[in-house]
Amino acid sequence: YVPNISANMLLFDFGKTKASADSAKRTYESSRYDAETSIENVIYNVKVAYYNMVFAKIQKSVYETTVQDYELQLKQARAYYDIGKKAKIDVTYAEYNLGKAKLNLIKAKNTLELAAVQLANAVGIPELAEVVLKDGLNTKEYEVNFTDLIQTAEASRPSLLAAKKRMDAAELNVRSVKRSFTPDISGFGQYQYGGRQIDADYGYAAGVQLQYSNLNLMRLKKQVDEANATYKKYVADYEQERQNVYLDVKSAYINLMNSHDSIAVSKLALQQAKEQQYQAFRRYQVGLGDAIEFKDSENTYLNAQLDYYSTLLKYNVNAAELERVIGDPIKESDKEL
């Protein structure tokens, strides 16, 4: 029996192990930012689905009001027809308008149900039977500045940070591959005991050894060339992502400002259409107006309502898009639109 104990430890490899470890760490951090990008997309999709459902609920309410208005018109037309003040065509026309409004209401109810299903799917609970809406469309102004948004995006956008980490990992990989030309310095120790014999030999040994196994220098050179090319690719990818961030932020900012400016115009149009509809209905009640005038004013008011709420929906969706592209929430002020 010859018991033998030995140990071997790497002392220095000119930074090859550290460079490989640092490169792997950057790659891991890049993967984490990729996961954050997926989370940001999920949040955005849920917000959009929620806003669409809020709009569908408002749309249903608008069509319900329209049905009520046409019911009043039909009641008024029948009363006028009974006393001989209006022709039968007014009653028929009012019945047609009411039927069309009820059809639009049925479609609006179906749209609301579909929006609820889409929201449940975006949340990740397809089996959710009912969704309770606790909020409405935001009507507050957002405090945004394009320069600040770009700075926030460069510091917070997960996809940009992931591209930066991949570029750093590729740079560290170049260092690691270049250091493959260097040898490894390791230390070793050994102790041996001779066993049962009286005159058994025993002893120990310790020392430092220099190892160099990469004899294929041409292969190493090609590996360095490959690492350099990969690094240049990731540098280009990072620059492209940085430009994409600028484009996304600029586009989202312009869209938000456009929808913001459109709200005031659509709100004024809604007020005017509401006044016109009220005047037309009052004229019809006292017998000065006709059914066509009332229908035109009712349609104008209906479209004005839908246009206003559509613009408000777009404003909320654009705000969610801006938050997604910068990777951070934006502040809203106390000022109403």
Side-chain angles (χ1 to χ4, degrees):
Y1 301 97
V2 183
N4 189 3
I5 299 176
S6 62
N8 196 345
M9 183 178 69
L10 179 66
L11 298 178
F12 186 66
D13 64 351
F14 296 90
K16 286 182 287 187
T17 300
K18 183 179 184 305
S20 297
D22 290 342
S23 177
K25 182 180 179 181
R26 298 297 187 278
T27 302
Y28 165 70
E29 292 172 347
S30 172
S31 300
R32 289 186 59 187
Y33 284 123
D34 287 337
E36 289 185 16
T37 299
S38 300
I39 293 173
E40 292 287 342
N41 290 332
V42 169
I43 293 174
Y44 170 74
N45 291 333
V46 171
K47 284 184 177 181
V48 171
Y50 185 83
Y51 292 144
N52 283 330
M53 184 176 176
V54 172
F55 174 76
K57 183 179 179 181
I58 295 173
Q59 181 178 246
K60 173 176 168 287
S61 177
V62 169
Y63 280 118
E64 286 175 343
T65 303
T66 303
V67 168
Q68 293 173 3
D69 291 343
Y70 279 125
E71 286 176 344
L72 288 175
Q73 187 213 7
L74 177 60
K75 183 178 179 181
Q76 190 72 46
R78 284 174 175 169
Y80 278 133
Y81 173 70
D82 290 340
I83 63 176
K85 195 172 182 179
K86 293 289 185 181
K88 176 67 174 177
I89 191 172
D90 274 26
V91 177
T92 304
Y93 199 60
E95 290 174 344
Y96 168 78
N97 293 336
L98 178 59
K100 189 174 181 180
K102 288 182 177 180
L103 178 60
N104 289 332
L105 178 58
I106 293 174
K107 293 179 180 179
K109 291 179 179 179
N110 292 337
T111 301
L112 178 59
E113 292 179 2
L114 180 60
V117 173
Q118 291 173 341
L119 176 58
N121 180 263
V123 172
I125 312 176
E127 301 83 7
L128 193 62
E130 296 181 1
V131 178
V132 179
L133 297 176
K134 295 185 178 181
D135 301 310
L137 296 175
N138 180 43
T139 58
K140 300 289 183 68
E141 285 191 2
Y142 287 102
E143 298 177 350
V144 292
N145 178 275
F146 180 69
T147 303
D148 296 337
L149 292 173
I150 287 294
Q151 294 176 352
T152 302
E154 290 178 347
S156 305
R157 176 82 173 258
S159 60
L160 182 62
L161 297 177
K164 178 68 167 58
K165 292 298 181 180
R166 284 192 289 267
M167 182 180 67
D168 293 342
E171 182 180 14
L172 291 171
N173 185 57
V174 172
R175 297 182 188 178
S176 175
V177 174
K178 284 183 178 180
R179 288 169 183 173
S180 297
F181 287 99
T182 61
D184 295 337
I185 300 177
S186 59
F188 66 91
Q190 182 178 15
Y191 178 80
Q192 178 177 320
Y193 184 73
R196 296 178 179 177
Q197 298 180 8
I198 298 177
D199 57 348
D201 294 331
Y202 68 92
Y204 60 86
V208 177
Q209 62 184 6
L210 186 70
Q211 289 183 324
Y212 189 82
S213 57
N214 295 319
L215 299 179
N216 192 341
L217 299 182
M218 182 58 67
R219 180 170 177 266
L220 290 179
K221 181 181 180 304
K222 295 302 181 182
Q223 289 176 343
V224 171
D225 293 341
E226 180 184 6
N228 282 322
T230 302
Y231 171 66
K232 291 179 181 179
K233 174 188 178 299
Y234 283 121
V235 170
D237 289 345
Y238 173 74
E239 178 60 25
Q240 182 181 13
E241 183 62 28
R242 192 178 67 83
Q243 294 181 16
N244 289 339
V245 167
Y246 182 89
L247 176 61
D248 291 343
V249 175
K250 187 70 173 181
S251 300
Y253 176 76
I254 292 174
N255 290 335
L256 182 65
M257 291 298 99
N258 286 341
S259 57
H260 170 270
D261 296 338
S262 300
I263 288 176
V265 178
S266 60
K267 190 174 184 179
L268 178 60
L270 174 59
Q271 293 172 351
Q272 295 172 341
K274 184 177 181 180
E275 179 65 21
Q276 179 184 354
Q277 185 265 355
Y278 174 76
Q279 294 295 336
F281 182 68
R282 294 294 296 168
R283 282 171 53 81
Y284 190 80
Q285 278 187 319
V286 297
L288 297 178
D290 55 29
I292 296 178
E293 179 187 10
F294 174 77
K295 175 182 178 296
D296 291 342
S297 65
E298 186 68 31
N299 285 340
T300 301
Y301 180 48
L302 171 64
N303 293 330
Q305 291 182 87
L306 296 179
D307 287 343
Y308 170 72
Y309 290 117
S310 296
T311 305
L312 199 58
L313 169 65
K314 188 180 296 184
Y315 180 71
N316 283 260
V317 171
N318 289 338
E321 172 67 12
L322 185 58
E323 290 180 336
R324 185 187 70 83
V325 297
I326 68 172
D328 205 50
I330 56 178
K331 292 179 60 178
E332 64 179 41
S333 66
D334 297 328
K335 184 178 179 181
E336 289 285 342
L337 292 168

